[in-house]
Each structure stands twice: as structure tokens, then as C-alpha cells.
């Protein structure tokens, strides 16, 4: 386990209790997930494809409705909120999609301006531009500011997606497979970027990944999902030395 | 059979809910005026050449085709009035609406469908922007406003086409031609035909948006959304047209 030099508070910022979610009558994906994430912590979620990792974070931002259970974020149960209240809470959360989900009819600049202009109406055009440039510099992509998303490589798209997430200064960031489909060097760069963002802004992160290098570099704690429940949790080192053969297979 | 019926009812219910949520939120703040203007430009202005060409051809062909029959009855002088009447009452609205269903409805279906599949709509939602307001409302309002304008444009160009058609066989003065048309038109010919085009525009936008917005995940569903948007929009245009004509018939008997 690498030594993390950021502060983790004991207070949980995300609390999931007995979360159930099924699709159709015979596809019961989540069967009672109970999980806490502390403020300032980087939590890694591992599990086979289709085990419901993405569904958990989609439930947390309200993209999917939970069937049963409670989902507390910032001490508020999001299952009980209406649309307006949920949107207020969403401004404090960021979400990096697996395929970056950049708006492909807009340039990189417009992609970043889009959420900012809507939520910070008091900013002048010059201030918006400054913010956009700053956040692009922080992900190291200022030269791509006037490009269209289709002109960018996979790694660049991830960075722009991350910049768009960061521009609203979220306190929690959900990463859905941030390094999938990238070469090892770019993956490592993205992992380092995640870590540096976390140090700089002291955000809390939930990271879904299959990339063990990313998990090792960024994770404070790892949880493994199996058959719709949390199978095991611990630090990277603890799980790496686990006697459980199934868990061990992730680290091979 | 039961699953088919279930699908039909589910779809009908979903379309109704989608339409209801449109009317519920359309008057609520914030108004996306800039995006609305942008969509008016993209959906309306960009369709001008296509609508213009078809409008011209409709007017020209209608004149040339009707001419022999009219001449046989010695009613050649009625030709401009008849062509203008058929253009304004039926041909221009329905042909323009069908062209828009093909061009605009499928475009919206494919665009929103691919945004849905690539999670762009979800991305909008998690950044606390209402995608329904930004994407659906602006497009539906734009088509509701633009399709009637395109129909008026097609009417004008069609009448011009008719003038050229007249001049192929005989020599007609433009002012004479226009005054013959104006003499034969009444307010009751123009109004119902114009009102129905707003419904055409609304349906073209709404169906395209519904199909795109509800595309299930996977790239195949994008093509399906575009395709079924055209089919559903075209069919509903004919149905609304039939209803409009029947209604006008009852009201102005």
C-alpha cells in the first residue's frame, strides 16, 4: 500500500444501507449492499463485469432509482428527494463516465462552459474563460481547448471528461472505469491525475476499476462485489495477501 | 399476442407521459432561448432548400398535369386558382410535413438516440441540467414554429412554380396570374390549413425526441430510433390531416 498523504476523516460522507436493485423479474443485481465511504477517502470497487458496480454509483447520483434500502450522501437520503433537491445535491457530486460522455456537438471549451454557465450565472464571460482555462491546465490539455471531442484520443477524452467534472468543484467524484481502454502509460497518468486532484481539492472518490495498477496507486480501501453483496473489503496489501482464491485472481 | 398488446399499451402510456411532461415543464423557468434559436436555425433554416425545391416542383407538376383536363372543359382560366387552392389546402402542408418527418424527425431521433447511448444525456442530468428542457423542449418548440413557416414558404414557391408551368404553354402575366389566385382564395381556405401545420410540426418534433430519448442502450437502437421516428411521424401526420379535414368539413359545412 502506498502511503497516502491526504487526510481521511472518520465521518462517513456516503452511507449505503441494504441497497437492492433488480432489472425485470429475474435479474436481481444488487442484493443488499451496505457500505460507508469516509470524507477524503479513495474507495476502489472491484468485481466482475455485470456485478452491479456501476449501478451502485448511478443510484448514488440518482440516475437509477433504488428498489429498496437507503442511500445517504452528505447526511441526506437521496431516495427521498424531489428533482430540485436532488439537483442541488448533484452540484456537489461529480461523475466521470466510462466513455467520458463528452457532448460531441460542442467543442472542448463549450463542453466545459456548458455546466458552468448554467450554475454560476453571476460569472462574467472573462471569468468563465479563466475558469475553463485553469481547469484544462490542471488536466494538462490546454492546447485542445478549441478541438471537437471526435478529434481527441481516448486518454484526452478522459482528461476533458475529468475537467468537465472538476469545473463545478465537486466534493465527491465517482469514477466509472477511468482507465479502461487506455494504454498502461496513459492509465498511469490518469491514475496520478486522480490522486493529485484528490490531494489538491480534498475530494472523496469512489473508483470502479479493473486496472489493479490504478487501484494500487489511488486506493485507500478496496471493496470487492460478488453476487450482489460486498464480498470482502480491505487495503490493497490485505487483499493481495488474501487466502481466498477468487479474490487472489484479481491480483494475478 | 398478449405481449404485443402489452407493448402497444406501454408505448401509448409512455408517449402520453412524455407529452404530459412536455406541457408541464414548458412554461417553467429557465427558458433555453439561445438553444431554441439555434434549433430554429438548424431545423428550420437548413431545410429551406429542400422544401423550396419540392415546393417548386409540386407547383409546376400540378399545373402541367391538370392543364389538359382543364383545357378539355374549357376552364383554363381556372387553372391558377385550382392549383393554388390544392397547394395551400393540402399538397404543400402534407408534402412539406412528410419531408420534415424524413429530414428533421429522423435527425432528432438519431441525435438524441446517440446522445442517450453514449451517456451524454445522463451526463447532463448528473451535472444538474434538465436534459428534457434543454434537448426536448427546444426541439419540439422549434419544429412547432418552423414547420408552419416552411409550409408558407413551400406555398409561395409552389405558386411561383405554377406560374412557370402556365407559361410553358401560354403567355400569362404574373400580376394577372396572382390576381386570379387571390380571387379564388378565401380566409377559410388558408386558416384551417395553416393551423394543422402547427400540429404537424409539434408531432414531428415530439416523435423524434421521444424515439431518441427512449432509445435503449446499444448502437443498433440509434438507427432504430431514427427509422421508427420517420415511420411514426409520417403516419401520425396523415392521421392528423384526416382529422383536421373532417373537423373543418363539419365546422364549415
Amino acid at each position: 500500500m502506498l502511503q497516502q498523504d491526504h487526510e481521511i476523516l472518520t465521518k462517513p460522507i456516503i452511507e449505503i444501507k441494504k441497497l437492492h436493485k433488480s432489472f425485470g423479474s429475474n435479474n436481481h443485481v444488487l442484493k443488499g449492499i451496505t457500505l460507508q465511504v469516509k470524507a477524503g477517502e479513495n474507495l476502489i470497487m472491484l468485481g466482475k463485469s455485470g456485478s452491479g458496480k456501476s449501478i451502485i454509483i448511478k443510484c448514488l447520483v440518482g440516475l437509477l432509482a433504488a428498489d429498496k434500502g437507503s442511500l445517504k450522501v452528505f447526511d441526506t437520503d437521496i431516495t427521498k428527494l424531489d428533482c430540485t433537491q436532488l439537483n442541488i445535491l448533484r452540484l456537489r457530486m461529480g461523475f466521470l463516465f466510462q466513455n467520458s460522455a463528452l457532448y460531441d456537438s460542442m467543442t472542448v471549451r463549450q463542453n466545459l462552459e456548458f455546466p458552468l454557465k448554467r450554475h454560476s450565472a453571476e460569472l462574467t464571460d472573462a471569468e468563465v474563460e479563466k475558469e475553463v482555462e485553469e481547469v484544462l491546465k490542471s488536466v494538462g490539455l490546454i492546447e485542445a481547448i478549441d478541438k471537437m471531442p471526435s478529434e481527441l484520443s481516448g486518454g484526452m477524452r478522459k482528461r476533458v471528461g475529468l475537467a468537465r467534472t472538476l469545473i463545478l468543484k465537486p466534493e465527491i467524484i465517482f469514477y466509472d472505469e477511468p482507465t479502461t481502454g487506455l494504454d498502461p502509460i496513459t492509465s498511469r497518468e490518469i491514475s496520478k491525475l486522480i490522486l493529485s486532484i484528490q490531494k489538491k481539492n480534498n475530494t472523496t472518490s469512489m473508483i470502479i476499476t479493473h486496472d489493479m495498477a490504478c487501484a494500487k496507486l489511488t486506493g485507500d480501501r478496496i471493496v470487492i462485489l460478488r453476487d450482489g453483496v460486498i464480498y470482502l473489503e480491505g487495503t490493497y496489501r490485505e487483499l493481495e495477501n488474501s487466502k481466498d482464491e477468487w479474490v487472489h485472481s484479481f491480483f494475478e | 399476442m398478449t405481449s404485443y398488446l402489452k407493448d402497444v399499451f406501454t408505448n401509448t402510456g409512455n408517449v402520453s407521459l412524455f407529452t404530459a411532461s412536455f406541457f408541464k415543464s414548458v412554461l417553467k423557468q429557465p427558458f433555453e432561448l439561445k438553444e431554441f434559436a439555434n434549433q430554429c436555425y438548424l431545423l428550420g433554416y437548413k431545410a429551406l432548400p429542400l422544401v423550396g425545391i419540392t415546393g417548386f416542383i409540386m407547383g409546376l407538376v400540378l399545373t402541367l398535369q391538370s392543364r389538359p383536363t382543364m383545357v378539355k372543359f374549357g376552364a383554363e382560366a381556372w387553372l391558377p386558382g385550382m392549383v393554388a387552392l390544392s397547394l395551400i389546402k393540402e399538397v404543400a402542408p402534407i408534402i412539406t410535413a412528410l419531408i420534415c418527418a424524413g429530414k428533421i424527425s429522423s435527425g432528432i431521433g438519431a441525435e438524441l438516440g446517440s446522445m442517450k447511448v453514449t451517456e451524454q444525456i445522463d451526463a447532463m442530468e448528473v451535472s444538474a441540467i434538465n436534459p428534457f428542457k434543454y434537448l426536448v423542449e427546444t426541439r419540439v418548440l422549434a419544429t412547432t414554429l418552423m414547420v408552419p413557416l416552411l409550409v408558407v414558404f413551400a406555398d409561395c414557391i409552389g405558386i411561383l412554380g405554377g406560374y412557370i408551368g402556365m407559361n410553358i404553354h401560354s403567355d400569362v402575366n404574373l400580376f394577372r396570374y396572382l390576381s386570379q389566385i387571390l380571387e379564388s382564395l378565401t380566409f377559410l381556405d388558408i386558416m384551417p390549413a395553416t393551423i394543422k401545420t402547427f400540429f404537424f410540426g409539434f408531432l414531428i418534433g415530439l416523435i423524434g425526441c421521444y424515439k431518441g430519448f427512449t432509445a435503449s442502450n446499444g448502437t443498433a437502437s440509434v438507427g432504430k430510433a431514427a427509422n421508427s421516428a420517420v415511420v411514426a411521424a409520417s403516419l401520425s401526420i396523415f392521421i392528423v390531416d384526416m382529422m383536421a379535414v373532417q373537423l373543418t368539413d363539419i365546422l364549415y359545412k
Side-chain angles (χ1 to χ4, degrees):
Chain A
M1 182 75 204
L2 291 177
Q3 192 56 46
Q4 308 287 351
D5 52 2
H6 50 262
E7 193 186 359
I8 300 173
L9 303 172
T10 44
K11 188 172 154 269
I13 198 164
I14 300 171
E15 265 188 291
I16 305 172
K17 271 186 199 150
K18 293 182 181 153
L19 171 65
H20 285 259
K21 178 76 191 168
S22 51
F23 296 91
S25 51
N26 48 9
N27 190 9
H28 200 162
V29 186
L30 302 180
K31 298 170 186 161
I33 300 279
T34 299
L35 183 66
Q36 287 192 343
V37 186
K38 298 184 190 84
E41 185 181 31
N42 274 356
L43 180 81
I44 305 280
M45 268 207 269
L46 291 178
K48 278 167 67 178
S49 298
S51 59
K53 307 180 298 289
S54 301
I55 293 166
I56 297 178
I57 58 173
K58 282 186 177 166
C59 285
L60 281 169
V61 292
L63 277 178
L64 290 173
D67 293 346
K68 246 192 321 192
S70 83
L71 290 161
K72 272 191 181 170
V73 184
F74 304 115
D75 280 331
T76 319
D77 192 344
I78 68 143
T79 54
K80 297 195 170 68
L81 299 182
D82 66 23
C83 207
T84 326
Q85 292 166 321
L86 185 60
N87 274 347
I88 295 170
L89 215 58
R90 275 171 174 165
L91 289 177
R92 300 168 68 189
M93 302 189 257
F95 197 114
L96 182 68
F97 286 86
Q98 193 172 348
N99 300 313
S100 309
L102 300 179
Y103 307 127
D104 47 21
S105 59
M106 303 181 193
T107 62
V108 169
R109 184 196 296 275
Q110 288 164 336
N111 258 287
L112 299 183
E113 281 175 354
F114 186 67
L116 192 61
K117 276 187 172 169
R118 254 143 246 276
H119 298 303
S120 316
E122 73 285 353
L123 292 182
T124 61
D125 283 355
E127 283 168 329
V128 168
E129 190 169 338
K130 199 172 143 246
E131 289 259 343
V132 168
E133 282 174 8
E134 240 167 52
V135 77
L136 267 181
K137 268 181 205 154
S138 74
V139 298
L141 256 188
I142 188 72
E143 70 279 5
I145 190 160
D146 286 315
K147 286 194 173 156
M148 295 303 284
S150 55
E151 296 171 78
L152 304 177
S153 68
M156 288 160 99
R157 291 172 70 94
K158 279 270 155 69
R159 281 162 190 265
V160 176
L162 195 51
R164 193 180 62 187
T165 311
L166 289 175
I167 204 154
L168 293 174
K169 303 191 173 63
E171 294 158 54
I172 303 174
I173 304 181
F174 301 101
Y175 297 90
D176 194 353
E177 306 198 10
T179 58
T180 302
L182 302 177
D183 63 88
I185 298 167
T186 317
S187 293
R188 200 174 162 77
E189 280 171 12
I190 298 280
S191 303
K192 280 183 179 164
L193 197 58
I194 292 173
L195 211 55
S196 78
I197 287 162
Q198 208 242 356
K199 261 182 229 164
K200 201 171 133 197
N201 309 340
N202 203 26
T203 49
T204 308
S205 316
M206 268 177 97
I207 305 163
I208 292 175
T209 189
H210 298 290
D211 174 5
M212 295 316 290
C214 170
K216 189 174 182 180
L217 194 67
T218 56
D220 295 315
R221 186 159 61 102
I222 297 177
V223 295
I224 302 188
L225 251 71
R226 189 181 187 178
D227 300 327
V229 288
I230 303 282
Y231 183 67
L232 206 62
E233 67 170 275
T235 61
Y236 185 88
R237 179 67 52 81
E238 283 164 11
L239 295 184
E240 194 182 23
N241 299 326
S242 162
K243 296 275 180 290
D244 190 318
E245 219 166 86
W246 187 78
V247 171
H248 201 72
S249 63
F250 278 96
F251 294 82
E252 278 165 359
Chain B
M1 186 64 192
T2 25
S3 73
Y4 174 75
L5 275 179
K6 203 177 156 193
D7 274 359
V8 170
F9 284 121
T10 320
N11 257 325
T12 317
N14 286 341
V15 175
S16 314
L17 286 175
F18 194 79
T19 317
S21 46
F22 171 81
F23 284 110
K24 241 186 254 169
S25 65
V26 73
L27 292 174
K28 279 189 197 152
Q29 295 265 22
F31 302 119
E32 302 279 357
L33 288 176
K34 210 173 153 197
E35 178 62 12
F36 169 69
N38 182 33
Q39 289 304 327
C40 284
Y41 170 77
L42 290 175
L43 302 177
Y45 180 76
K46 293 263 169 128
L48 271 182
L50 191 62
V51 170
I53 293 168
T54 43
F56 179 82
I57 295 174
M58 278 184 303
L60 183 79
V61 168
L62 211 57
T63 311
L64 291 176
Q65 298 266 40
S66 327
R67 200 171 176 282
T69 323
M70 299 297 264
V71 169
K72 208 188 270 173
F73 290 102
E76 202 184 345
W78 290 92
L79 194 52
M82 197 210 80
V83 168
L85 212 62
S86 12
L87 268 178
I88 290 171
K89 282 179 91 165
E90 190 58 36
V91 180
I94 205 94
I95 298 279
T96 309
L98 287 178
I99 284 181
C100 290
K103 184 176 159 58
I104 299 175
S105 219
S106 65
I108 295 176
E111 189 191 5
L112 296 197
S114 69
M115 285 185 82
K116 172 90 181 180
V117 169
T118 55
E119 296 179 311
Q120 291 176 50
I121 291 181
D122 285 347
M124 230 173 248
E125 204 165 339
V126 292
S127 55
I129 296 163
N130 184 347
F132 194 86
K133 255 193 126 45
Y134 183 77
L135 298 170
V136 176
E137 275 180 25
T138 51
R139 281 166 175 76
V140 176
L141 288 177
T143 53
T144 312
L145 181 71
M146 284 298 125
V147 170
L149 291 179
L150 286 171
V151 171
V152 171
F153 176 70
D155 285 342
C156 299
I157 299 275
I159 287 170
L160 190 74
Y163 172 70
I164 292 170
M166 287 289 287
N167 272 283
I168 291 176
H169 291 286
S170 52
D171 190 17
V172 185
N173 179 290
L174 182 62
F175 291 103
R176 175 86 190 109
Y177 173 76
L178 288 180
S179 68
Q180 266 179 337
I181 287 173
L182 291 175
E183 265 169 35
S184 58
L185 282 180
T186 64
F187 183 71
L188 285 182
D189 295 325
I190 299 173
M191 268 334 270
T194 308
I195 291 168
K196 74 179 174 190
T197 56
F198 284 96
F199 288 93
F200 291 169
F202 176 74
L203 284 171
I204 287 167
L206 190 85
I207 291 171
C209 287
Y210 173 75
K211 293 289 181 185
F213 220 69
T214 52
S216 51
N217 295 337
T219 37
S221 65
V222 178
K224 212 175 132 197
N227 182 272
S228 57
V230 179
V231 175
S234 310
L235 192 65
S236 58
I237 284 165
F238 279 113
I239 293 171
V240 168
D241 187 52
M242 185 185 70
M243 281 160 46
V245 171
Q246 295 275 353
L247 200 67
T248 326
D249 197 46
I250 294 168
L251 289 177
Y252 300 111
K253 208 169 355 185

